Structures are given as C-alpha cells and as structure tokens.
Amino acid sequence: MGIFDTFRKGLQKTRDFVADGINRIAANMGFFDEDMLDDLEMLLVQADVGAACSIHLMSKVRQEIKATGDASRKNVISTLHREMLDVLGQAKPLAFEKGQLNILLMVGVNGTGKTTTAGKICARYRKQGFRILLGAADTFRAAAIEQLTHWGDRTDTPVIAHQEGSDPAAVVFDAIAAAKSRGVDLLILDTAGRLHNKANLMNELGKIRRIIQREAAAAKVETLLVIDATTGQNAVTQAKVFTEVAEVTSLAITKLDGNAKGGVALAVAHETHTPIALAGLGEKLDDLMDFDPQAFVESLLPIHQA
Amino acid sequence: MALFEGLSAKLQDITAKMRGKSRVTEQDIKEMMREIRLALLEADVNFTVVKELVAEISEKSKGVEVMESLTPGQQVVKIVHESLVDILGQTNSKLLVSPSGFTVIMLYGLQGAGKTTTAAKMALMLKKKGKKPMLTSVDVHRPAAARQLEILANSVDIPCYIQPEEKDAVKIARQAVDRARYLLCDTLIVDTAGRMTIDTEMMAELKAIGKVVNPTEKLLIVDAMIGQEAVNVALGFDKEIGLDGFIMTKLDGDARGGAALSIRKITGKPIKLICVGEKIDAIEEYYPDRMASRILGMGDVLSLIEKATANLDEKKAAEAFDKLKKNQFTLEDMLSQFEEVKKMGSIKDVLSMLPGMGNKAIPDEHIDEKAIDRSAAIIRSMTKKERHNPGILNASRRKRIAAGSGTTVQEVNRLIKQFEETQKMMKQFSGMMKGKGRMPNLGFGKRGFPF
C-alpha cells in the first residue's frame, strides 16, 4: 500500500467527519456566508485543531474571500487546504545514514507509545540493513525493559539494559559506549514517559541529552517527541516544553488511525514549527509511516470535495 | 499559550473596562461568552457541550445584579463555575460492592490511558481500606503488559494472576476468577488491553471477558489530556459495555481536563476516582469543585475571597489600622498579621488559588512555607520591650534572638529592616489619607512581604 493509501485508510473516519460537517454547514449551497464560516471554524476545533490554529486558518480564508470576492465552496475548501499545508510546512522525514553513528532519543509523556514506536522504527531500519542497538533508558515503568526486549527479540536487535530503578543516564552512557565499540549505525534510546510539568523528571531528560552531547559529539542525534493523536490542546504545551529541555528535532504523532481526529498535528505544527517526521496510522509494523503533509491534508480534506 | 492564559484573566480584562457599571450589558455578556467558549474549547471540553453550556451561562448572566463585593466579571465567573460544578458533581461516586461478597472491577480504556497503573493503585487503595483484592491482567496484546501489572502488584504485596504465554484473554479471565475465590479474595480487579472503540473485534473480546467475570463495576480509564474525542470514546465504551463510571488519570500534568466535563454531561455517569502521580498511592477521591476550577484555569478565586474574609479578624485588623494611623505600628502587630496570613492555609494553597497560577503549579523548591513561621519565631523571641521599641535591638540582643528563634542574625536583621520599611511606608500612607477609607495593605505590601 502506498503512502497516500495508508494515510487515506488511517484517516478515513476523520475524512468522513469533515465531509459530513461541511455538507451539513453548506448543505446544497455553493458558497459560504459569515455564519457558515463560523461553523467551519468550529468544525476544525472539533477535530482537535485547537482554537488558535482554527482561528488562524479561518482568518486566512476570510482574507482570501475579501481579496477575491469569491466565497464559493470551491475557493473556501481549496484555500483551507492550501493554508493547512502552509501550517504543516515541508515534509522532513528522519534521515539516518549507514556507516556513521546515529542516535534516536525517544521522549514524551506517559502512554503515547514511545516503546512501541521505538520497536517499529527499529524494525523499519533493520529492514534497510542498519546495524542497530536498543537502549532501555526507561528504568522507571514496571516491565518497560521487558517490553523493549520483546521488540529486540522480534527484530533480532541487541538491547542494552540495566536493572529496573537504576539511573537512566547510566544506561544511556553504557549504550553509547557499546554503540561506539560495536560500530552500530543507529542507537535507539527509549526513555520513561514523563509529564512535562515535572521539573525533576525533565531535568533528568536534560541530563541524558547532555550525556549524548558529551559522549557522542560526532553522532547525528535526533530527539523524537512522541505525541498521542488522541491528546487535546495539551499536546502544544508538551511540544514546547520538551523542545526547550530536550532539543526535540522531530515529532511522531501516534494512534492517528484510532479514535482521534488528528487535527492536533496542525495545532502542534502551528505553535511550534517542529517538523512532524512520523505518523502512526495503524498497529502493523508498516503502519508507521513518514509523515507526508500533502497526503495528510488530502486525507483530511479532499480537494475534490470542493 | 499566552493567547488563552486563563479564563479569569480574560474576564478580568473585560470587566476592567466596565468598572463602575452596576449592570452587565448585552454586549458585555456577548464578549464574555466568547471568552468562555474559547477557554472551554482550549480546555478540551467537547464542542457540543461547550455550545449548550455557554447558552445556559449566557441566560443566567443576563441582567445579573452586581453584588456589593464582587465585580461583574467575578459574578460571571461564579456563574460559570457553578454551572460546571453542577455538571461535574452530584451523583454518588463510591465504588460499587457486590452483595455476593465477591466484587469484580473491570477497567477499560484506549491504549496508554493508564489502566495498568490505575489497576495497581486501586488494589492498594482497597487493601488499605481492609479489603482483600487480587489483580489480573487479560492484556494479551501489549508485550510485557501482564509483567508490568505483576511487578506493581508484588511491590505492594497484592496477589496477581497472570498467564504471559496464554493468548486467550477469556481463558485467563476465567482462571483468575477461580484463583481469586480460592485465595478468598473479596475483590478482583481486571486490567484489560487498551483498545479503540472503533475496533469491533477488540470490543467483542471485552464482552466475552465480561460474560466470564461478571463485573460489578465497569470503569473507563480516561487520560486527562484527551481531546475532543473524549465523548465518542466514552459513548463508544458505554454503548458496547454499559459503564458504571470513570477514572481520570494523569491529573498531575497540566492539562485542563475538559474531558471530565464532556463525559459527565454526555453520559451522566459518575467520576469515581482521580490519579495524580506515578507513585502507586497517587489515587484520590474526586471533587467536582476542584475539577471545575482546573478546567477554567482560574484558580479558586472564590474560595480565596471566602477564605480571606472568613479568616481575617476584622477587629484585629481595625486595631492595627488604627495604630498605623497613629504611627504606633509595632512588631507585636506585625506578629499578629503573620498569624492572620497563616490562617488562610499554606502559601502553596493560597498561591494556587490566585488566577493564572492555578495549573502552572509553582515548583515546590520556590516556595518557602516556613518563612512566615521563622519570622514569627523571631518576633516571639523578643522581649515585650524590644517588640515595642525595636530601636534598642543592638548586636548582642540580635544574637540572642537569633539563637532563641533558631535563625541567623542575618535573618533577624532582614526582618527588622522589613519592619522599618513597612513602618516608613505606612507613615507616608497615613499622612496621605487622614483616617478615612479602606483597610490599607498592612504588612504585606511589596516590601513588607516576609517571603
């Protein structure tokens, strides 16, 4: 299945929701009046796009109508389409290259799917022939190490782990040393879920980040913030705070195929400008895809609907 | 999130413009309703719920007489708050107990909501209440999920039945019931795998497990950070399973938790417990009024006003004011003021009630709860004469006071300086206003504040 199809399938529900909404708002009408634009704005909010981003998108639509005098359904939808793409920016997938040490640090609040995503990323790069090492730096959650080890077994990847309750920074230190001596291409570090308002836990993450900086200065480091698509507007705060503390370079939005409407991707992109690298569109290994803004927006708001 | 800082701040802005008006106009209401709508949406309250709620609030706010002590904005905040508490509250939220003497609690939820951790927390809570709980995991999907539950159970010495190799969740459930009865446990907590409501196969599995364990209490675990989908998730599970209530998790985060409002309003089912931390005892009872304040991001302004008025001793305050006017404010008076402040509760409590502070939670290390205590101790270590005439406090006296109060000379010096500045400030103040007017901001002005 191609990228577009996977996005389309994963976001089917959201697309139906948006289509129904637009049909309800502009039933049998060829144009949008002011009330209908308000309703459209609220439709975006209902898809978790958030008030700030929804207001931004609709102000662009209103500007367009004012400038062109064209309030046709076609123009409104295609303007919205264009502005959503503008918010999401260019596609920027993870770019690891073999033959050098790459480090992927997984961070996020509790329960977003860090370990699962780490496992899936591992499987993906194994397929591409990368030599990989997994580092179990979630030493807090019960059985987190076992969960990661399971993924290691499944993908035939060695795992560096300490005891539960040990210092995660020490695991990171050891994992980097092992990665260097074994000459691996990619070290994936799974960390414990932490709420971004817990100063101590965030400091711990800062420390991990500094150890990576010091011990693997030559490595290409990506810090991936994993965000659950079911999350509401708190995702924006998560992105901001994690970026500040752990220098997040990319986002992964998981569970997009689930109950979520997925609008949070827009909310986060609007507020942070950190690129979304990955999208979790299903439970299968291959359902973790590179995030494609074009495919995402087209799956959300098909232009032919105009 | 500067744009949507908190509802009360916004409403205060609006009401600042209408200060002095005795009635709220239609236009004011409209403006405020817009802010309320945005605030609720930013708090992830479901859109449909917001719409209904704002219509109700708007109706209630029209033509409200402004109470003597409150500004119109606060009056509206109060209406909003009351409406929220109304929806969030009432219904008995006690956990159900089976009359048969064997209670089965089954936990459901999306992936990553916190079911496993909550299961262990509930078991410990019940154990502390004298129950004999057993835990079981029927999660055959997530790797090491059962092990996670077992480790948590072991850490608090609660029996736990798992079958990590078994792929049939129904079979595990059946065996778990047998085991629990064999161990003479009175409560079995069943932790299920996370699932989406749109996954029909997984929802069917839940029903099959339910038939075997016959749950007394069917609870949905809801992540406080969940967005607009909260309602569909709650309705989805309720339709398939028939929920008895909810548990909100991760409330130690800074999400507003609007989902609580949505699911209460749409399902009418009670919220039974809340989870507020990663530690295994971080589970608490649920209070509707606190949840309302949290959703509004307003801090508990009303409680603060009430607390302040209920606790301040008017007579004492008037006396102090009188002394100030006559320029007789002494350390003794400062001490009694410290005591008044202490009556309002811990500094952290008081700060958390201030608008804009609520959810941001000042890091503990920045709050010195003992500062007032230490200042009071310093004054108490002085003689009567010293308290009335701080001029006599020479180095040796200060040393004695520091030793007596368990502080340092520097701290004593700082307090005396504070006192002198307050006195100086008050002198100017009393010159300015000859007798008339309201209570001045006694010792707690900018410079006088002891912490």
Side-chain angles (χ1 to χ4, degrees):
Chain A
M1 218 164 27
I3 288 183
F4 266 81
D5 290 332
T6 311
F7 271 88
R8 281 185 62 83
K9 189 167 153 276
L11 291 164
Q12 170 79 47
K13 206 170 26 45
T14 310
R15 183 166 57 254
D16 293 347
F17 169 81
V18 173
D20 283 356
I22 289 176
N23 286 334
R24 208 176 47 243
I25 294 165
N28 307 322
M29 300 276 256
F31 65 91
F32 276 77
D33 65 19
E34 192 47 43
D35 280 351
M36 286 149 80
L37 290 176
D38 275 343
D39 288 345
L40 189 56
E41 188 170 293
M42 287 305 131
L43 186 70
L44 295 175
V45 170
Q46 287 177 77
D48 282 324
V49 175
C53 184
S54 302
I55 289 169
H56 163 80
L57 288 170
M58 291 311 295
S59 77
K60 292 286 186 181
V61 170
R62 288 189 169 98
Q63 273 171 29
E64 164 75 19
I65 293 174
K66 208 172 166 197
T68 61
D70 179 3
S72 72
R73 180 168 164 154
K74 186 162 184 258
N75 194 31
V76 168
I77 302 287
S78 63
T79 307
L80 196 54
H81 199 280
R82 187 181 71 225
E83 293 303 330
M84 281 181 172
L85 278 176
D86 188 59
V87 165
L88 290 172
Q90 291 294 312
K92 195 178 159 291
L94 296 177
F96 296 131
E97 276 170 32
K98 270 183 271 189
Q100 60 160 345
L101 177 58
N102 297 278
I103 297 180
L104 179 65
L105 179 65
M106 313 285 302
V107 300
V109 300
N110 315 63
T112 57
K114 281 176 298 301
T115 309
T116 306
T117 305
K120 287 180 179 176
I121 293 174
C122 180
R124 169 205 272 214
Y125 283 98
R126 282 290 290 159
K127 244 193 223 168
Q128 296 176 19
F130 276 63
R131 288 170 53 89
I132 305 180
L133 189 62
L134 289 165
D138 180 355
T139 57
F140 180 81
R141 182 164 61 87
I145 298 170
E146 280 167 69
Q147 192 179 341
L148 191 70
T149 307
H150 164 92
W151 280 102
D153 293 345
R154 192 168 158 184
T155 55
D156 197 18
T157 308
V159 181
I160 300 290
H162 289 188
Q163 291 285 310
E164 206 175 290
S166 59
D167 180 7
V171 178
V172 169
F173 185 91
D174 284 357
I176 292 173
K180 285 201 279 199
S181 71
R182 295 180 199 187
V184 304
D185 303 307
L186 176 60
L187 169 63
I188 302 175
L189 295 166
D190 184 27
T191 65
R194 63 199 78 222
L195 294 172
H196 49 277
N197 60 340
K198 302 267 173 94
N200 295 344
L201 295 177
M202 293 310 279
N203 288 341
E204 179 187 280
L205 201 56
K207 184 176 165 193
I208 288 175
R209 193 69 189 72
R210 286 194 298 279
I211 287 174
I212 295 173
Q213 196 63 45
R214 196 182 66 209
E215 298 301 317
K220 177 180 164 55
V221 182
E222 285 269 7
T223 304
L224 186 70
L225 173 64
V226 182
I227 292 178
D228 182 337
T230 328
T231 312
Q233 297 314 300
N234 195 248
V236 174
T237 324
Q238 288 171 25
K240 282 185 179 167
V241 179
F242 272 98
T243 303
E244 223 168 83
V245 176
E247 298 164 58
V248 173
T249 52
S250 299
L251 308 176
I253 313 253
T254 59
K255 310 184 203 175
L256 269 169
D257 59 312
N259 279 82
K261 295 284 192 297
V264 75
L266 286 156
V268 171
H270 177 63
E271 299 270 353
T272 67
H273 308 293
T274 310
I276 302 168
L278 291 165
L281 293 157
E283 306 221 295
K284 291 196 299 291
L285 278 181
D286 295 341
D287 293 335
L288 182 71
M289 312 269 310
D290 283 340
F291 183 80
D292 182 327
Q294 195 80 41
F296 178 79
V297 173
E298 180 60 29
S299 303
L300 215 65
L301 186 72
I303 201 95
H304 66 75
Q305 246 185 27
Chain B
M1 303 275 290
L3 199 52
F4 299 100
E5 205 32 277
L7 180 62
S8 41
K10 283 277 178 186
L11 293 186
Q12 268 156 14
D13 282 354
I14 297 175
T15 50
K17 284 184 255 163
M18 42 195 244
R19 192 154 289 152
K21 282 192 205 169
S22 64
R23 287 184 85 85
V24 184
T25 68
E26 287 271 340
Q27 190 53 39
D28 297 330
I29 296 276
K30 222 175 151 186
E31 218 179 304
M32 282 197 257
M33 290 310 130
R34 184 182 152 75
E35 292 305 334
I36 292 167
R37 189 175 76 159
L38 280 175
L40 292 174
L41 288 174
E42 280 296 311
D44 294 317
V45 180
N46 178 269
F47 170 75
T48 322
V49 175
V50 171
K51 220 164 133 182
E52 281 176 35
L53 197 59
V54 170
E56 280 169 34
I57 293 167
S58 168
E59 212 43 58
K60 283 189 206 163
S61 306
K62 273 174 193 156
V64 165
E65 287 290 341
V66 178
M67 275 169 45
E68 213 179 305
S69 56
L70 295 173
T71 69
Q74 279 169 329
Q75 186 67 21
V76 173
V77 169
K78 200 170 162 213
I79 292 171
V80 177
H81 194 267
E82 280 168 2
S83 304
L84 259 57
V85 172
D86 220 33
I87 296 168
L88 288 166
Q90 314 125 13
T91 42
N92 178 21
S93 62
K94 288 273 172 293
L95 287 174
L96 302 175
V97 177
S98 169
S100 75
F102 184 67
T103 304
V104 177
I105 300 172
M106 209 164 152
L107 306 180
Y108 315 91
L110 298 177
Q111 290 93 339
K115 288 172 295 301
T116 306
T117 309
T118 305
K121 286 178 178 177
M122 283 184 84
L124 178 62
M125 183 188 75
L126 291 171
K127 186 184 169 186
K128 280 183 184 164
K129 287 184 179 168
K131 298 271 183 199
K132 200 160 181 276
M134 191 186 103
L135 284 159
T136 188
S137 168
V138 295
D139 186 345
V140 295
H141 303 277
R142 180 163 62 89
R147 273 289 292 150
Q148 184 184 350
L149 187 69
E150 188 185 36
I151 292 169
L152 291 170
N154 287 346
S155 75
V156 286
D157 204 16
I158 286 169
C160 179
Y161 182 81
I162 61 166
Q163 283 294 330
E165 301 307 319
E166 177 60 59
K167 286 290 159 214
D168 182 353
V170 178
K171 201 168 156 191
I172 302 173
R174 189 177 293 123
Q175 290 168 349
V177 173
D178 291 344
R179 174 62 66 92
R181 288 188 179 278
Y182 173 75
L183 291 175
L184 300 176
C185 293
D186 54 20
T187 312
L188 174 65
I189 300 173
V190 183
D191 177 28
T192 66
R195 66 203 71 213
M196 312 175 289
T197 56
I198 51 172
D199 189 334
T200 44
E201 217 172 282
M202 289 289 279
M203 293 306 277
E205 184 199 77
L206 279 187
K207 279 192 239 178
I209 298 168
K211 267 191 193 141
V212 172
V213 301
N214 194 17
T216 321
E217 179 86 273
K218 291 170 281 189
L219 301 176
L220 183 70
I221 311 299
V222 181
D223 185 330
M225 292 179 275
I226 193 171
Q228 292 288 317
E229 269 306 286
V231 163
N232 291 334
V233 173
L235 285 177
F237 276 100
D238 192 33
K239 192 176 131 231
E240 295 290 325
I241 287 140
L243 296 171
D244 296 301
F246 302 91
I247 295 178
M248 299 281 292
T249 61
K250 307 184 201 172
L251 276 163
D252 48 328
D254 60 1
R256 292 272 161 81
L261 193 68
S262 310
I263 57 179
R264 279 284 307 145
K265 175 99 176 161
I266 300 273
T267 69
K269 305 274 167 74
I271 294 169
K272 302 230 168 179
L273 292 163
I274 58 169
C275 293
V276 291
E278 298 197 59
K279 295 215 183 72
I280 198 157
D281 58 356
I283 187 163
E284 287 179 1
E285 304 207 351
Y286 156 77
Y287 292 101
D289 50 339
R290 288 187 198 168
M291 189 60 85
S293 301
R294 182 191 182 104
I295 291 171
L296 292 176
M298 58 187 262
D300 204 347
V301 183
L302 296 170
S303 310
L304 184 63
I305 295 169
E306 277 163 22
K307 241 178 171 174
T309 46
N311 287 326
L312 278 178
D313 189 327
E314 295 247 347
K315 218 173 113 200
K316 271 194 194 162
E319 268 174 31
F321 182 47
D322 224 40
K323 284 185 176 164
L324 266 178
K325 272 195 317 190
K326 294 181 196 144
N327 220 341
Q328 292 169 343
F329 187 68
T330 65
L331 280 160
E332 193 106 18
D333 301 313
M334 199 167 180
L335 179 63
S336 78
Q337 275 183 24
F338 289 158
E339 278 156 6
E340 295 295 319
V341 173
K342 284 290 284 185
K343 277 193 211 158
M344 285 169 66
S346 77
I347 298 170
K348 197 175 173 189
D349 281 353
V350 174
L351 283 179
S352 74
M353 282 187 235
L354 292 173
M357 291 292 212
N359 290 328
K360 254 176 266 153
I362 310 106
D364 283 347
E365 64 259 30
H366 291 174
I367 301 174
D368 190 358
E369 290 284 354
K370 296 271 180 256
I372 290 188
D373 285 344
R374 275 201 301 275
S375 301
I378 291 172
I379 301 178
R380 285 204 190 91
S381 299
M382 297 177 186
T383 63
K384 272 243 155 74
K385 199 173 161 197
E386 286 165 345
R387 293 185 206 182
H388 287 278
N389 188 9
I392 61 169
L393 287 168
N394 57 22
S396 111
R397 282 178 191 262
R398 289 181 192 214
K399 218 162 143 190
R400 190 205 78 238
I401 290 163
S405 57
T407 57
T408 61
V409 175
Q410 283 84 354
E411 279 177 280
V412 175
N413 290 342
R414 205 177 309 139
L415 180 90
I416 293 165
K417 191 143 190 247
Q418 242 173 34
F419 170 74
E420 283 167 357
E421 281 186 359
T422 310
Q423 232 182 1
K424 211 187 293 164
M425 200 165 67
M426 288 307 156
K427 207 179 278 174
Q428 297 168 347
F429 203 55
S430 63
M432 250 157 51
M433 42 178 292
K434 287 261 187 261
K436 270 191 178 179
R438 294 168 56 81
M439 271 272 301
N441 189 10
L442 297 181
F444 328 124
K446 251 187 203 155
R447 282 177 288 178
F449 220 60
F451 45 85

